[in-house]
Amino acid sequence: MTASNPLKPSERMKIPRQEPLEQDPQERSTNFLEVSFGFDMDRTLVEAQRCLDCKTPYCIDGCPVGIDIPGFIRLVLEKDYVGAVRKIREANYLPAICGRVCPQETQCEEVCVLAKKLTPVAIGKLERFVADYEMREKLFEAPVIKEHRDEKVAIVGSGPAGLTCAAELAQKGYRVTIFEALHATGGVLRYGIPEFRLPKEILDLETERIKALRVEIYTNFVIGRTATIDELFDEWGFSAIFLATGAGTPTFMGIPGENLSGVYSANEFLTRVNLMGAYRFPDTDTPIRIGKEVAVIGGGNTAMDAVRTAKRLGAEKAYLIYRRSRQEMPARQEEIHHAEQEGIQLLLLTNPTRIIGDAHNWVSAIECQRMELGEPDESGRRKPVPVKGSEFVLEVQTIVEAIGQKPNPIIQSTTPGLTTSKRGTVVTDEMQKTSRPGIFAGGDLARGGATVILAMRDGKQASVAIHTYLADKRAAQLPSHL
Amino acid sequence: MFRIVRTDVLAPTVTRFEIEAPFIARKRKAGNFVMVRLDNQGERIPLTLADSNPASGTITLIVQAVGKTTKQLCAMKAGDSILDVVGPLGTPTPIAMHGTVVCVGGGVGTAELYPIARALKEAGNTVLSIVGARSHDLVILEPEMKAISDALYVTTDDGSYGKKGFVTDQLKDLLDTVPGIGAVFAIGPLPMMKAVSTLTRPYNVHTLVSLNTIMVDGTGMCGGCRVTINGAMKFACVDGPEFDGHSVDFDELMMRNRTYADLERVSDQKHACRLAGTTQESLR
Ligand SMILES: Cc1cc2nc3c(=O)[nH]c(=O)nc-3n(C[C@H](O)[C@H](O)[C@H](O)COP(=O)(O)OP(=O)(O)OC[C@H]3O[C@@H](n4cnc5c(N)ncnc54)[C@H](O)[C@@H]3O)c2cc1C
Ligand SMILES: Cc1cc2nc3c(=O)[nH]c(=O)nc-3n(C[C@H](O)[C@H](O)[C@H](O)COP(=O)(O)OP(=O)(O)OC[C@H]3O[C@@H](n4cnc5c(N)ncnc54)[C@H](O)[C@@H]3O)c2cc1C
Ligand code: SF4
Ligand code: SF4
Ligand code: FES
């Protein structure tokens, strides 16, 4: 028993985990409105009571940015929702986003003590509730910046890594400028993750809150083209730079027929829909093509988003083709479940071998092969091997390849002295330092494809490293960037 | 916002724009392009940087009205603003000393060719230029091209100006008569660039073409601009837009470029209705 929670632990453990309200699957598969409504206040208060307020809260270790989880839940129980979201914001500046897209089940919730025998506290949904509450009631106040510093820091890329690093450094009093290649901020949060999982209104609001910290944002600015890294140091007068350009370059399978009309990379498909609003064509000018039958290749979050988007755009049949089994799918369980509810057909242990076109060079079918699982590979997952003679042909008019992305090479190829790996990622140490002094990197650019919360962790870590770097430089009174 | 400071109509459907974009103006090189989005509903379209003036912080675009976005842009006037302009994008044209070069421009492609021809001239090449158009009123940038060329040949399909025929006819003449042609630069519609590449192949003359692909982001993030060069997949926005014409799979690209043809017409017609609507209103 504590002041905020009158229930005894044994009583708390009897309360079942609360389930969020969701839009009806049938209905939602034809619209772009948010699938999950999250918790209402009643469910929030019940769920919060389940937390045991552990002496050793393992959940905090499970959160890459170290949110004081029992601390904010205590405030929820006191109905101080704004206090709770402020507590979260001390560690995580984007709570409304993480509450929605963070893979909680493999982070904080996986290590919650209740997860072992019962079900973990729904930490993500609680986080979302308090963030939404603050938003709905318009109670956000920008944190007060106590100290102002002269040094300018440039952030390249406005995805979760860049936004987080910017927010942290601005709160430390630095003059922060974000450079973004696209016409809008957010990175994958904007162009990749669809409206029905993360409404753009929320992203816009979180971006406004970063601006409220007096962070300057240049959109339409491609570093490596509009200005180079060295120009940012030498001409623009930045003292440190954080690179967070993500891993946005699509890869293709390399099978015959990939250049037929109607074959998209997931990035092109999702960018047309999310960034350019093609789902509202012709009210917007950017078109998208959707056949009666659509196949999406891949098993990650990207594939899941693409196939569910295809369904919403009117595909009568939307297939997801994945070469391993369900267990190996890297997508979040919640998303796979949602997809199946919406009528997505999973073709597991299936691998495309060839795309077939019609007389007009349009996709008309895809040839696939059945697979079976063999020995585990380097990643520890069992390797899929083709079953001889198992080829079959599936009629489809649109194909989306979601088989992985790599970092965009524009900056790496225009910045001398920046070490990259064979996979094209920028090499950093655990403090996010690169091979060049004053240049830090993180998020998908350093990790290859990862997650929103890991990108945020890197942004936060880099802000600490940049702070130390600039303090050391100030102490040594070296001229800038040497 | 990017303010338009000046417009000039060069031909019935071709307009030249001078636009304030100081960061881009400083960095532009021959062969670079920008992505432009006119308003919040707008599509991102690629347009070549025809010129720039770092001192005044302006860039020059030359635009042919062919569909919804380009028509809407060509209706804009000095003082209007464009929402988004990003660049300079693409790999700049490799400018080297080849001795004598032939620069071939077809239609609005001449606008894309002009900065390259000028850079080649500045690098010391003897520049022979061929400018082709369907008819006289569609010939653009003749004085500009003349000023930077050692010789300028104009061809029109209907013979209303210059020599009657296609640019390839004139090019064949030059290849047969002028010794020491080191390279050919051809920019225009895909069928024209294909024809030029087919023509120069037996002459073994290095031929550079600029590929007008469908583009979304223009920075290597979507793969919509992918083309097959010597059997390998390349992204036109970062690996190009210029490629060795003898290695390009033109037929595949021409098919891919038709992906949205019917939908683009829907968008264009809707726009035409809207335009008609506003005119009627402003007449009242
Ligand atoms: C479709 C999809 C769905 C996903 N779903 C989830 C999910 O549910 N949960 C989850 O945790 N993760 C998910 N992920 C992964 C997650 O989105 C990424 O790991 C995360 O966004 C990486 O963040 P980042 O800041 O490193 O880069 P990004 O989000 O990729 O942002 C990079 C930004 O840099 C900009 N940029 C690139 N080059 C330049 C340049 N030269 N100059 C200026 N700007 C530049 C880009 O335009 C972009 O805006 C998903 C990914 C995809 C593609
Ligand atoms: C690197 C690059 C540089 C370019 N530079 C210039 C330039 O300097 N001036 C200029 O006027 N145009 C240029 N273009 C072409 C220009 O981008 C297209 O004309 C424009 O996108 C058409 O948009 P729209 O909405 O007006 O027409 P749409 O309605 O999109 O298309 C109208 C018609 O043009 C075809 N089309 C669409 N996109 C293209 C394209 N990219 N290339 C060729 N045909 C297309 C369509 O199939 C349709 O038949 C360039 C293209 C590229 C890739
Ligand atoms: S940010 Fe993610 S990992 Fe951290 S507490 Fe929230 S949901 Fe859990
Ligand atoms: S581990 Fe679970 S029960 Fe314990 S404090 Fe964290 S959320 Fe509460
Ligand atoms: S236009 Fe998107 S990769 Fe080239």
Side-chain angles (χ1 to χ4, degrees), chain A residues 59-60 62-69 72 88 92 94-95 98-109 123-125 127 453 456:
Chain A
C59 54
I60 301 185
C63 172
V65 294
I67 291 177
D68 176 0
I69 294 165
F72 98 75
I88 297 172
N92 176 336
L94 308 171
C98 286
R100 286 176 165 80
V101 301
C102 195
Q104 298 110 21
E105 65 280 6
T106 56
Q107 303 283 351
C108 54
E109 293 183 17
I123 300 166
K125 293 287 185 295
E127 193 174 337
I453 194 64
M456 291 179 64

Side-chain angles (χ1 to χ4, degrees), chain A residues 155-159 161-162 179-181 187-188 191 221-223 229 242-249 406-412 424 426 440-446, chain B residues 221:
Chain A
I155 310 283
V156 187
S158 66
F179 294 96
E180 168 55 52
V188 173
Y191 74 75
F221 206 110
V222 187
I223 299 300
I229 292 292
F242 178 55
L243 301 179
T245 52
T249 297
K406 52 186 192 228
N408 188 315
I410 291 181
I411 291 183
Q412 295 83 303
V426 168
F440 302 76
D444 281 4
L445 172 65
Chain B
M221 312 269 270

Side-chain angles (χ1 to χ4, degrees), chain A residues 224-225 408-416 418 420:
Chain A
R225 293 279 192 255
N408 188 315
I410 291 181
I411 291 183
Q412 295 83 303
S413 64
T414 52
T415 311
L418 197 62
T420 53

Side-chain angles (χ1 to χ4, degrees), chain A residues 183 220 225-226 231 235 248-249 258-259 261 263-265 267-268 272 276 281 283 285 289 361-362 408, chain B residues 26-27 41-42 44 68 84 87-88 219-222 224 226 228 252 255-256 259-260 262-263 270:
Chain A
H183 58 256
N220 292 315
R225 293 279 192 255
T226 320
E231 286 165 351
E235 295 172 23
T249 297
E258 272 179 326
N259 290 344
S261 293
V263 183
Y264 292 97
S265 73
N267 257 19
E268 179 180 357
R272 281 179 181 271
M276 306 308 298
F281 182 87
D283 287 338
D285 297 343
R289 269 277 169 210
N361 228 41
W362 268 95
N408 188 315
Chain B
R26 281 176 42 181
K27 300 281 289 191
Q41 281 67 48
R44 294 168 64 100
K68 154 86 214 288
D84 300 301
T219 60
M221 312 269 270
C222 75
R226 62 190 187 276
T228 303
E252 177 187 275
M255 303 258 220
R256 273 185 69 77
T259 304
Y260 300 106
D262 55 337
L263 290 178
K270 185 153 184 274

